[in-house]
Amino acid sequence: MLTIDLTGRRALVAGVADDRGYGFAIAKALAEAGASIVLATWPPALNIFLNLLERGKIDDARRLADGRLLEFEKIYPLDAAYSTLEEAPSEILENKRYREVGDFSIEGLVSRMRDDFGETPVDIVVHSLANAPEVKKPLMETTRGGYLTAMGVSAYSMVAMVSRFAPRMRAGGAFLSLTYMASERVIPGYGGGMSAAKAALESDTRVLAFEAGRKHGARVNCISAGPLASRAASAIGIIEAMVEYCAANSPLTDPLAPTEVANVAAFLCSPLASGITGSVVYVDKGYHAMGMAVAPGARPSG
Ligand SMILES: NC(=O)c1ccc[n+]([C@@H]2O[C@H](COP(=O)([O-])OP(=O)(O)OC[C@H]3O[C@@H](n4cnc5c(N)ncnc54)[C@H](O)[C@@H]3O)[C@@H](O)[C@H]2O)c1
């Protein structure tokens, strides 16, 4: 039988602060495949997440197929807006959620992982984070600052992570990020420059695959996932409508489960996908293939 076997590999999943999003589901699928998991969590959400874990509030979600609980070797603080600590402004450095956690930059994360696990501490890096302060604003009302922050946090952060982690990966390393179809088709309400940030993330997937592949033999792929009512997506304000619309108009009409995205993530990060890099893979029940909405009450065949 073909199996996804990640035994002996370590995966970093950046962008997990509860059990509702794609990052958590991906961490769990990678663990089911045998990988050990470290997380990187945004400092403003870190304490809440640690509390959830400590109080057993997400134990049900952490339960693996063999009955064990999903464990995290480490949970590091990460604000992906900053490649180095020097880039962080004083109001962030002095903020109560940040000042106690140590170096929360991307370089800080690399160096903590080297201290904890050695010179090549990781095999798989998953970027499952995005933020746009003005996501509820239409593009035409988005400020330059809001737009650039969306780009910096949601797209450039992947560039910074690949450039710092690729030299520190063991052979067969794989990167993965998550995008949304709003990069290529208009999704009214997905504002604040997030659509442009996802377009950049997808374009960068190809260039990073070439550069990291040639230089370090690492692979870089991206999943274009269908809508899910995660915490981040709920901030957009229209996520329920997006989920409903997709289910009603996709070739496959069951709601998309986060595990369906996570299983593809585990495959893409595994040796079974050693020939795949620079790809954007849709996991959206086929919604991307549609060119026309299905009329209400229409026959299932269309
Ligand atoms: N939910 C959807 O409908 C959907 C669809 C397609 C793609 N995606 C993408 O999936 C990824 C995961 O999002 P999700 O929807 O599962 O929500 P989520 O809330 O589980 O994950 C987003 C995470 O990003 C973190 N984050 C925000 N700003 C950060 C920063 N500056 N530094 C570090 N971390 C930061 C948040 O704390 C959160 O943990 C994102 O890239 C998102 O755009 C989501």
Side-chain angles (χ1 to χ4, degrees):
M1 273 198 296
L2 269 182
T3 48
I4 296 177
D5 183 3
L6 299 175
T7 314
R9 295 178 195 238
R10 177 174 296 110
L12 161 69
V13 184
V16 179
D18 57 42
D19 60 346
R20 288 167 53 191
Y22 283 131
F24 181 89
I26 291 171
K28 193 171 169 185
L30 294 170
E32 295 279 18
S36 58
I37 309 294
V38 302
L39 299 182
T41 300
W42 194 37
L46 183 60
N47 268 341
I48 302 165
F49 182 48
L50 293 177
N51 270 336
L52 284 178
L53 285 169
E54 212 169 286
R55 291 177 18 233
K57 294 279 184 200
I58 57 172
D59 281 1
D60 286 349
R62 287 172 63 201
R63 188 74 54 198
L64 298 171
D66 65 4
R68 284 176 305 133
L69 274 191
L70 168 62
E71 297 290 349
F72 306 115
E73 284 185 292
K74 290 273 173 182
I75 301 176
Y76 298 102
L78 170 70
D79 193 322
Y82 310 111
S83 302
T84 64
L85 203 57
E86 290 69 49
E87 289 176 8
S90 55
E91 65 266 27
I92 287 289
L93 292 168
E94 287 154 20
N95 181 295
K96 70 172 171 25
R97 304 240 181 251
Y98 284 80
R99 63 176 180 238
E100 311 274 294
V101 299
D103 190 340
F104 50 79
S105 69
I106 292 170
E107 268 192 24
L109 173 61
V110 175
S111 107
R112 284 169 160 208
M113 287 188 67
R114 284 172 70 188
D115 289 347
D116 290 337
F117 302 111
E119 286 307 299
T120 50
V122 73
D123 303 277
I124 293 165
V125 172
V126 179
H127 175 287
S128 182
L129 58 94
N131 208 349
E134 298 179 15
V135 69
K136 286 188 178 164
K137 282 192 191 168
L139 189 57
M140 283 176 69
E141 289 165 28
T142 299
T143 65
R144 186 186 299 268
Y147 185 95
L148 293 177
T149 299
M151 280 289 202
V153 172
S154 313
Y156 182 78
S157 55
M158 180 65 178
V159 177
M161 285 176 73
V162 172
S163 69
R164 265 100 178 162
F165 275 108
R168 300 268 152 226
M169 271 183 164
R170 297 184 278 230
F175 290 91
L176 182 75
S177 67
L178 285 125
T179 187
Y180 180 49
M181 198 203 53
S183 59
E184 38 174 338
R185 298 278 187 272
V186 179
I187 304 290
Y190 194 82
M194 265 313 296
S195 53
K198 290 304 192 192
L201 184 68
E202 291 173 28
S203 177
D204 294 342
T205 298
R206 296 181 276 274
V207 181
L208 292 170
F210 173 69
E211 294 182 4
R214 288 294 175 104
K215 209 163 170 200
H216 303 289
R219 297 182 297 110
V220 184
N221 290 298
C222 186
I223 290 178
S224 184
L228 169 76
S230 64
R231 181 185 283 255
S234 302
I236 305 168
I238 51 159
I239 186 65
E240 268 78 24
M242 287 158 77
V243 169
E244 236 170 74
Y245 182 88
C246 275
N249 291 290
S250 296
L252 303 173
T253 53
D254 294 339
L256 177 69
T259 47
E260 294 177 296
V261 170
N263 289 340
V264 176
F267 161 70
L268 285 172
C269 294
S270 80
L272 289 180
S274 57
I276 304 178
T277 192
S279 290
V280 178
V281 179
Y282 292 101
V283 186
D284 67 346
K285 298 283 185 180
Y287 177 74
H288 69 279
M290 299 299 292
M292 186 177 158
V294 180
R299 283 176 295 123
S301 61

